[in-house]
Every structure is written in C-alpha cells, then in structure tokens.
Amino acid sequence: MQNVIVIGGGLAGLSAGVALAEAGWRVRLFEQRPFLGGRATSYVLPDGEHVDNCQHVTLGCCTNLEDFYRRVGSVGKIKFFDRLLFQDPQGRTGEMQAGILPAPFHMTGSFASFAPLTLADKRGIARAMLDILRAKGHTPDLDAPGGISMLEWLQRRKQTPGAIERFWRMVLVSALDEELDRTDARFGVDVFWKAFLCNRTGYRMGVPAVPLAELYDGCKAEIEKRGGEVNLRMPARAVRLENCAVKGVEFDGGRFETAGAYVFALPHLAMAELVTEEMKRCEPGLAHLEKIGVAPITGVHFWFDREVMREPFVTLLDTTTQWIFNKSALYGGRNGAGKQQGQYLQLVISASYDLLQKSRQEIIDLCLKEVQHALPAARDAKLVKATVIKEAAATFSPQPGVDLLRPKQETRIRGLLLAGDWTDTGWPATMEGAVRSGYLAAECVLRNAGTPRTFLQPDLSPDGLVGWFA
Ligand SMILES: Cc1cc2nc3c(=O)[nH]c(=O)nc-3n(C[C@H](O)[C@H](O)[C@H](O)COP(=O)(O)OP(=O)(O)OC[C@H]3O[C@@H](n4cnc5c(N)ncnc54)[C@H](O)[C@@H]3O)c2cc1C
C-alpha cells in the first residue's frame, strides 16, 4: 500500500488526507495541536462551554467545502440561510434574498427596497454589476500588471461613498478580510460574480449548527478506516532533503518518519520556518513566503442572562461590529455544558487592525455599546460573561499582486506537495480555498504515482438568464 505523510490538521491537511485515504493510500497525519481543524476549529472553556476560534460561515458557491463535509459526514451539520439581514445605526434595515426572477435579476427586489442605500448609491452599484456581468466576472482592467485595488476598481466606476461603505465594503471586508484599498480587485469582483450574479444559490449562507471542531469528527475515522493514523501534539520540526527530494520529516525526540509522498499543509508563516536555503534553491517558489502579508480578525463572545435577539444573525452597517451571530439559536439551544438559560452571541470584526492595540476590556465596552444600540432588548439584559479572541494573522492578505507569491501545490522538490489556503488556488483565504488546495495536492500525489484521480469539484453552474447566455 502506498503511504503519505500529511503535516497539518487544518482543512487543507484534512481534505488532502481524506481524499488520499479514499484513494487507498495509508495516510499518517501529524498535527501540532491537541485537536483538528486549524484556524476553523473550536475549544471547550473550563466551564464546559464550547467556543469557536471565531464564527466561520460558508456560501453556496463553496462547492469543494460542501463536498468535503459530505465525504466526512458533516454536511447535515451546516444550516443554510436564504435571507441575509442588514441594519444601520438609524435602525433602517435591508435584506439580500433571491426573489422570483431568474439570475442575474434574482436580487432585484430586495436590492430595490434596501433602505440603508440611496437611489444614487443603487444606480452606481447596478452599473458596476452590469459591468461585471457583461465581462462574465472578469473585467479587462483586472489584468493590469500587478493587479489593481478594489477601491480603485470602484472609483473607476464612479461609486458613491455610501455605496462603497455600505455595500461593497460591507460585503467584501467580511468575505476577504481586508480593506478595499488593500484588496486585489480580482478577488472582489469574483465574490460578486460567483456569489451574487451568476446563479440564484451562490449567496446562500451556510452556518455550522455545531461547534466547529465537531465538523471534523468523521476525518479521523476516514483516515483510520484505510489503515492510516492521526497523530496530535506532533509538530514537524524539520524536512530532510537529498538531491532535491524529501528523505523524511523530523519530529521531537529524534523521531524520523518517511513516506512515498509528503503533503505540507501548514499556514504560510509556519511553512516558512521549515524552509531551508537548500529547499529554496530546489524550489524558488518557497523563497518568498514571508512576503505574503496577513490580516486580522477579532471575535467577541457575549453571554447575556436573557434572550436579546431573535434573528439567527444580522450584519451591522457603519459600526466596528460587522456581524452578530445568535449562537444559541444556531446551536438549537445546545452548547457544551448544556446551559439553556440566557443567550450566547458571537460578534465578528474582519480586517480588525484598529482593535489589535486595544485592550480586551476596551473591545468589550465598544462592542457592547454597539450591540445595545442595535438590539434594544440587550439594554436591560445583564452581560454575564465575555471573551475576546484576536487573531492577528487570521488570513493571508489578498493584496494586489499576491497571486504572484502563491506557490503551486506541486513543487520541484520530489515528494514535496504544498497545501493551505495561501497556495495557488485562485481563491482567497477561506475554508473553500483550503479544501481546494488539499484536493489539488492529493491529485498531484496520485498523478505522480501514475493513478490519477479528480477530487476538485466544479464551480456552481451559471443559471437563469446567465446560464442561457453562457
Ligand atoms: C478568526 C477567523 C475567522 C475566519 N472566518 C472564516 C469564514 O467565516 N469563512 C471562511 O471560509 N474562512 C474563514 N477563515 C479562514 C479559514 O479559517 C482558513 O482559510 C482555513 O481554515 C485555513 O485552513 P488551512 O488548513 O489552510 O490552515 P490552518 O487551518 O491554519 O491549518 C494548519 C494546521 O497546521 C498546524 N501546524 C502548524 N505548524 C505545524 C507543524 N510544524 N507541525 C504540525 N502541524 C503544524 C496548525 O496547528 C494547523 O492545525 C477565518 C479564519 C480566522 C482565523
């Protein structure tokens, strides 16, 4: 039986491992932490409460992530929502929801009645959308050498400040974890094409109905079923090379492991720590990993003594807090220790540069004020407990030109495959990107072994009028 070593138990490593196990390979996965899931995981607090590292959501257009959840028996643990709700500080609300019209006009009804935007904002947005549509998701200016920023792309299309702040920024900072002036427009335009324009279902938001770590329950079983193993608390310390081929991987205590192929599925900065000068000589694509920037996300967890919110989630406009998730409702009232009283909310702030220097208490005070403003019931409620989780390097920053720094999964070092959301997938730093990278790495392993197989799933097909014209 062929055997492979996978280093890293995040979504990239797990998807590569599960795919290769399915192809009949013996997979030995090594993860440095005591649990699986990497950045998209959850922990248990000392009082038995489960908290996600941060709320994670998926979209209908994330076809590979859905495929992965199906393979590991977790697809039923994701709840999909057709209606996205927005609210501004003046209490005006708007929705994004597909109506009866076919794509690309399915959002026309909810867009027309979106109260936080003015008529001038909407006219500009409609013009820009038409531009994306005509170009089938790829306007010619996206190909400028080095890329252009999303802000520049919007300014060229004369978007109003209201449209930029309350529409484009609101969607894209959440989706891409970066400010518009630091985002390659290619990623931004792609979000609107794949999620909002080319079909009716790409925008649907999938939210886990269980703590994130429970989504990976089936992975270990899949790998072990085919004779493999999942080793936790086992950080890889060094890669041994000979004539530009991997000889094996070193672990603590002098442990040395060898295999027919090696998939390194680490965050790019962790990978950079393992890369030696010899590796850079053999694979120049490994020489620039530190140049890939990172962007922060802050999660704020609030436990109130009573119900303060009915909706499953809401997006706030013009505030530091971007999303409020009603975790009690999403978990169906069940969470760890089983406390049914009160309500657990999770707030998300992407590209949270301004919060990095603030203290935990300052962040709690700021966000509590915003929650009390947005949710009147929270004004009389008692905040029982609060936690802040700052992830300074939550994702790679999708800056203009970043794709030039992202190496392919296949390297010139024999036996060495790369996976991770930061590798060359065409996608931004998302769970979907991580799974794509894992599937692509698994495909390379099988191709090199002379037993090719496809795991990568196609994008959602265009439907409605877009499908007809396409
Ligand atoms: C706060 C936050 C919110 C996010 N929200 C969303 C969202 O809503 N939707 C979305 O799609 N994406 C979201 N993301 C991004 C998403 O989590 C990542 O894109 C994805 O999980 C990356 O998976 P990965 O396997 O590439 O990397 P990771 O998840 O980082 O996995 C790498 C693994 O390698 C392990 N490792 C590191 N060094 C070693 C070593 N030397 N030896 C062994 N193991 C090692 C790590 O412990 C880790 O488990 C969010 C990320 C963060 C941080």
Side-chain angles (χ1 to χ4, degrees), residues 7-14 30-33 35-41 53-58 62 65 174-175 177 216 234-237 251 265-267 270-271 274 296-299 348 350 389 391 393-395 419-422 428-435 437:
I7 308 289
L11 275 160
L14 290 172
F30 295 88
E31 161 60 43
Q32 71 173 3
R33 297 204 284 182
F35 41 78
L36 297 174
R39 278 168 276 164
T41 197
N53 179 35
C54 184
Q55 178 68 53
H56 276 61
V57 302
T58 177
C62 296
L65 183 62
S174 300
D177 188 27
Y216 315 115
M234 286 282 286
R237 295 297 186 198
F251 297 89
L266 310 178
M271 186 68 211
L274 293 183
I297 300 180
T298 299
V348 181
S350 296
I389 303 177
E391 281 272 4
T395 64
D421 56 2
W422 53 277
T430 50
M431 298 186 285
E432 169 72 8
V435 172
S437 75

Side-chain angles (χ1 to χ4, degrees), residues 302-306 339 341-343 381-386:
F302 283 159
W303 286 265
F304 288 98
D305 67 343
R306 66 194 75 171
K339 295 185 190 69
Q341 314 258 294
Q343 196 170 38
K382 183 171 170 227
L383 183 65
V384 180
K385 193 168 70 170

Side-chain angles (χ1 to χ4, degrees), residues 161-176:
I164 291 178
E165 186 59 30
R166 297 182 142 209
F167 181 75
W168 299 101
R169 181 175 180 277
M170 174 265 292
V171 173
L172 293 178
V173 169
S174 300
L176 301 173

Side-chain angles (χ1 to χ4, degrees), residues 123-202:
R123 267 204 225 108
I125 294 167
R127 269 199 321 271
M129 289 292 176
L130 201 61
D131 209 10
I132 299 176
L133 203 57
R134 275 203 214 102
K136 290 188 191 148
H138 197 94
T139 58
D141 50 351
L142 298 179
D143 293 328
I148 59 165
S149 79
M150 191 66 204
L151 188 61
E152 189 178 341
W153 189 93
L154 294 170
Q155 284 165 344
R156 286 182 187 184
R157 284 155 183 87
K158 308 217 173 340
Q159 297 297 293
T160 61
I164 291 178
E165 186 59 30
R166 297 182 142 209
F167 181 75
W168 299 101
R169 181 175 180 277
M170 174 265 292
V171 173
L172 293 178
V173 169
S174 300
L176 301 173
D177 188 27
E178 192 50 284
E179 290 297 344
L180 299 178
D181 58 342
R182 288 195 286 245
T183 295
D184 193 319
R186 192 187 70 67
F187 293 114
V189 170
D190 223 31
V191 168
F192 283 95
W193 171 243
K194 287 187 174 137
F196 292 99
L197 285 171
C198 88
N199 56 64
R200 286 174 60 83
T201 53

Side-chain angles (χ1 to χ4, degrees), residues 329-346:
L330 292 163
Y331 287 162
R334 158 198 103 82
N335 185 29
K339 295 185 190 69
Q340 305 296 318
Q341 314 258 294
Q343 196 170 38
Y344 169 29
L345 305 184
Q346 217 238 272

Side-chain angles (χ1 to χ4, degrees), residues 10-29:
L11 275 160
L14 290 172
S15 53
V18 166
L20 287 166
E22 220 177 281
W25 282 53
R26 176 164 182 254
V27 176
R28 281 178 300 149
L29 187 144

